[in-house]
Amino acid sequence: MAVHDYLGTEIQIRRQQAIHSRKDWIAKTPGAYNGARMVGFDDPERVGWDSVRRVAEEDGLVGFPGARETEILAAIARHLGPGWHTNTWLTYTGTPETVLPTCEAIERAVTLPTAWRKEIYLSPDDQAIGEVQTLNMACDILPYPAYYSRGEDVPIITTLLRDKEGMPVATGSACMRYHENSRLGGCLFIGLISVDPRCRGKRLGSLVNALTLIESHRAFGWTKVHEQVHESNTASRKMIEACGLDRKEDLCAVTASRDQARFSA
């Protein structure tokens, strides 16, 4: 299956290329991170709003995870100025002590059909990356660029479930994208959970989410985790809650964009 270095619209591809070109700056800048499809800032005050605004103007999109909604929206308006569209996601968080036992229980409870299998990748080959990208797109999710899935810029793990014919039916990814000295240092980000529409209703979303959390802790030893979801996405919210993460009522994730960019439902 074909693998794509970058995917999306022309604007999205140019943005992804620009993000990758900032690898060295991001690596030495606590408070900034490579989110693959956008540059994000978990501590914009530490980075400096002049730098945040420069990236925002160049890319037309920036993100702010784990923020207090009123405060970050006011800061965006004050520092970036008019003409920016914002989208907001709910934030769910957890620790290994609360998340892993719940995920292990899901792994025991959800039995895959005969001859189905799970695969865990720290550095997937092009075949696997192409399959994951295709499944993401089938679920209306903008995939990660190939270099990102290979773990070239941030430590990342990918889970893939295959049916008896070897076809991908569910996938998820988790990465340690935050600078170790940033506000969210040591925090795992998990996302891109995708289930083949023909295989929904079998708890595969909860299973692949749980497996990704378990395997990422073995690989990276994260101390906290967060997931983001739109408030209207009831199915994903139930999946996240089933894996032991709790909604943080006072926190959200926000993107500011020129083109009203979104990555999933």
Side-chain angles (χ1 to χ4, degrees):
M1 188 167 291
V3 63
H4 299 276
D5 291 335
Y6 306 97
L7 294 99
T9 64
E10 252 185 69
I11 291 174
Q12 289 169 331
I13 289 173
R14 286 201 305 270
R15 182 183 294 140
Q16 292 166 33
Q17 292 169 333
I19 293 165
H20 192 27
S21 73
R22 298 192 189 96
K23 175 180 179 179
D24 293 340
W25 177 78
I26 292 172
K28 66 181 183 183
T29 306
Y33 66 89
N34 180 345
R37 301 161 301 180
M38 64 180 167
V39 174
F41 299 93
D42 63 304
D43 195 344
E45 298 291 342
R46 181 173 183 179
V47 175
W49 277 98
D50 286 345
S51 294
V52 174
R53 185 170 57 253
R54 173 180 55 78
V55 173
E57 293 290 352
E58 290 175 359
D59 291 0
L61 172 69
V62 285
F64 306 93
R68 288 180 170 79
E69 184 172 3
T70 302
E71 294 177 7
I72 193 62
L73 291 179
I76 290 169
R78 184 167 62 253
H79 294 289
L80 299 189
W84 290 89
H85 305 280
T86 57
N87 274 312
T88 303
W89 286 260
L90 305 181
T91 295
Y92 285 79
T93 68
T95 64
E97 292 75 20
T98 58
V99 169
L100 294 181
T102 307
C103 290
E104 290 162 357
I106 291 173
E107 184 180 18
R108 292 191 297 269
V110 182
T111 303
L112 291 175
T114 302
W116 284 37
R117 67 183 189 272
K118 67 176 182 180
E119 296 176 349
I120 309 297
Y121 300 95
L122 285 171
S123 184
D125 59 20
D126 283 356
Q127 173 71 21
I129 292 172
E131 291 173 324
V132 168
Q133 290 176 336
T134 299
L135 186 51
N136 291 158
M137 295 288 279
C139 297
D140 197 28
I141 295 174
L142 180 64
Y144 287 148
Y147 81 87
Y148 201 87
S149 294
R150 293 188 193 103
E152 293 178 14
D153 279 20
V154 300
I156 187 169
I157 194 166
T158 300
T159 303
L160 190 60
L161 301 182
R162 296 183 184 275
D163 65 16
K164 63 182 181 180
E165 281 81 32
M167 297 300 295
V169 294
T171 185
S173 296
C175 59
M176 301 293 290
R177 66 187 190 179
Y178 304 111
H179 194 288
E180 62 181 0
N181 296 320
S182 74
R183 180 174 62 87
L184 292 180
C187 184
L188 180 85
F189 174 76
I190 178 169
L192 276 68
I193 306 300
S194 305
V195 177
D196 188 318
R198 297 168 297 179
C199 298
R200 289 175 182 168
K202 304 177 184 295
R203 297 189 68 193
L204 294 182
S206 294
L207 178 60
V208 78
N209 200 65
L211 291 172
T212 305
L213 286 162
I214 292 168
E215 297 297 338
S216 61
H217 188 261
R218 289 173 180 160
F220 308 137
W222 48 265
T223 57
K224 50 192 172 183
V225 58
H226 76 236
E227 289 195 60
Q228 300 166 179
V229 61
H230 278 285
E231 187 172 12
S232 62
N233 194 337
T234 303
S236 291
R237 291 175 63 183
K238 289 181 178 179
M239 174 197 74
I240 293 168
E241 291 165 0
C243 289
L245 284 77
D246 296 317
R247 180 183 170 188
K248 286 294 184 182
E249 299 281 351
D250 60 332
L251 298 179
C252 67
V254 174
T255 58
S257 67
R258 290 294 196 193
D259 57 1
Q260 303 189 61
R262 290 181 65 178
F263 306 120
S264 63

